[in-house]
């Protein structure tokens, strides 16, 4: 039996923040990062909560959140005992919040407080990881990124508002937008894809194709900003149901080892993974056809998609390969055995269209490094 899950409830539109006024919880904890508090974006949330609500803000989440940050957040969570948590931020803040909740539930279970349910609202400020609609959390432990998946971490409400997106730096838009495209492409070609996940993945790809560059060039224009946010959320629902692929497994490993933003790592890797995924050629051709790119044959369709990805990377100022990004080759070579082990263990690897041997992975990693 297969399942397509539609959770959480998604609220969007100009007045979506009004929803916060309806909350009746006495204690609300907000998990975010310092940039969000400095930009006063957190005020958009607190100003909409009831004046009777006691609010605790934990804003110590760093990009690619570590297990130590999650432990620190957990301490505050246990002291404060909120009935509702609001994750406000990019994937890092939402994932950290999920990690805190995951360990809090584990603790409650040990204390026999199994029935304690914390209402969980996720508000993304990047577009994005789609973490507001997924049961995944990616945490960093030393030089390794670990992707956890558990329904306890699925938000109850995903609240989308473009009001948070006006101050996004262009680089963050480029990185996170390419993360969206990686999610939708990997969801579409996943061996676990189904018609529901594929339709959302395809729409997400189309929205990125039509809007990402305009949004990157001018982050104030409302239409493209909103469309990229929709694309992010749709890709999240798609991949939560279909899973991802080795683009993400490799990005998790190199992101943690060489300190590269998640979306940028995905973008650097993307064309080389598309090339290697020959089992999905027909799916890539379908995407090109949908986008109106030259696709008279399957080969032409795949090649058009590859050209689109390469041009998009250039327009967004993304490096062609890890060498161009500035990663030292000796450092890279030394890490190959550890990267191989990371990739094979990663939960994203299972449903990738092509199954690679160790030699295949090494060939691919060298292409990602040298760009040829
Ligand atoms: N849970 C999932 O399903 C999933 C999927 C993909 C990636 N991830 C994880 O998510 C993390 C990356 O998340 P991300 O790409 O959203 O980046 P991020 O949350 O790390 O944010 C990137 C930077 O942008 C800043 N920022 C965020 N919103 C802003 C705004 N509105 N205005 C100005 N600055 C803003 C942040 O302070 C940070 O410095 C990684 O750890 C990655 O592994 C999770
Ligand atoms: Fe991602």
């Amino acid at each position: 039996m297969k399942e397509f899950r539609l959770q959480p409830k998604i609220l969007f539109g100009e007045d979506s923040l009004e929803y916060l006024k309806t909350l009746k919880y006495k204690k609300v904890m907000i998990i975010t990062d310092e940039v969000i508090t400095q930009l006063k974006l957190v005020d958009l949330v607190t100003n909409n909560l009831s004046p009777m609500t006691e609010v605790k803000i934990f804003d110590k989440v760093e990009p690619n959140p570590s297990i130590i940050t999650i432990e620190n957040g957990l301490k505050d969570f246990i002291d404060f005992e909120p009935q509702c948590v609001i994750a406000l931020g990019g994937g890092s803040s939402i994932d950290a919040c999920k990690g805190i909740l995951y360990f809090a539930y584990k603790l409650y279970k040990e204390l026999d407080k199994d029935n304690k349910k914390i209402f969980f609202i996720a508000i993304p400020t990047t577009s994005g990881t789609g973490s507001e609609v997924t049961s995944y959390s990616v945490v960093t432990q030393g030089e390794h990124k670990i992707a956890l998946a558990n329904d306890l971490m699925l938000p109850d409400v995903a609240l989308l508002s473009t009001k948070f997106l006006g101050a996004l730096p262009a680089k963050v838009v480029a990185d996170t937008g390419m993360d969206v495209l990686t999610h939708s492409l990997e969801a579409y070609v996943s061996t676990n894809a189904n018609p529901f996940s594929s339709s959302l993945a395809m729409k997400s790809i189309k929205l990125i194709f039509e809007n990402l560059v305009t949004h990157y060039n001018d982050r104030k224009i409302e239409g493209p900003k909103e469309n990229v946010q929709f694309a992010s959320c749709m890709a999240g629902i798609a991949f939560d149901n279909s899973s991802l692929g080795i683009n993400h497994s490799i990005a998790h490993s190199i992101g943690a080892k060489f300190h590269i933003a998640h979306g940028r790592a995905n973008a650097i890797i993307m064309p080389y993974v598309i090339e290697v995924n020959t089992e999905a050629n027909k799916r890539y051709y379908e995407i090109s056809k949908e986008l109106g790119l030259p696709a008279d044959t399957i080969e032409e369709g795949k090649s058009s998609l590859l050209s689109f990805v390469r041009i998009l990377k250039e327009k967004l100022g993304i490096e062609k390969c890890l060498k161009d990004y500035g990663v030292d080759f000796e450092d890279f070579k030394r890490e190959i055995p550890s990267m191989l082990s990371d990739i094979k263990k990663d939960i994203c690897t299972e449903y990738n269209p092509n199954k690679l041997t160790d030699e295949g992975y090494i060939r691919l990693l060298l292409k990602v490094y040298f760009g040829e």
Side-chain angles (χ1 to χ4, degrees), residues 33 35 64 90-92 95 125-126 131 134 136 145 164 176 239 262:
D33 72 46
V35 176
N64 303 321
S92 296
D95 283 9
T125 63
T126 61
S131 186
T134 76
Y136 286 94
K145 265 192 166 190
F164 296 99
T176 53
F239 88 74
H262 173 69

Side-chain angles (χ1 to χ4, degrees), residues 250-319:
I250 301 172
H252 288 152
S253 185
I254 65 169
K257 288 185 189 309
F258 305 110
H259 311 289
I260 308 173
H262 173 69
R264 182 145 302 228
N266 269 326
I268 291 173
I269 299 161
M270 192 186 291
Y272 313 106
V273 168
I274 295 175
E275 270 172 353
V276 100
N277 271 339
T278 49
E279 293 294 327
N281 284 358
K282 183 159 175 292
R283 300 290 274 172
Y284 292 131
Y285 149 86
E286 287 165 9
I287 296 168
S288 282
K289 260 222 148 3
E290 185 70 24
L291 299 181
L293 299 172
D296 280 347
T297 60
I298 289 181
E299 288 68 33
E300 188 184 37
K302 173 152 174 170
S303 148
S304 297
L305 184 68
L306 273 167
S307 304
F308 156 61
V309 168
R310 291 190 188 112
I311 294 166
L312 183 63
K313 278 176 69 171
E314 259 179 57
K315 285 189 177 165
L316 300 175
I318 289 170
E319 298 77 7

Side-chain angles (χ1 to χ4, degrees), residues 179 183 248 262 266:
D179 192 23
H183 295 156
H248 265 78
H262 173 69
N266 269 326

Side-chain angles (χ1 to χ4, degrees), residues 250-251 253-255 257-261 264-269 272 313 319-329 332 339 364-372:
I250 301 172
S253 185
I254 65 169
K257 288 185 189 309
F258 305 110
H259 311 289
I260 308 173
R264 182 145 302 228
N266 269 326
I268 291 173
I269 299 161
Y272 313 106
K313 278 176 69 171
E319 298 77 7
K320 187 173 161 221
C321 57
L322 286 181
K323 184 168 178 250
D324 291 358
Y325 185 84
V327 173
D328 177 75
F329 186 57
F332 184 76
M339 288 191 273
L364 174 59
L365 286 171
L366 290 172
K367 275 193 168 187
V368 170
Y369 185 83
F370 288 109
E372 55 200 39

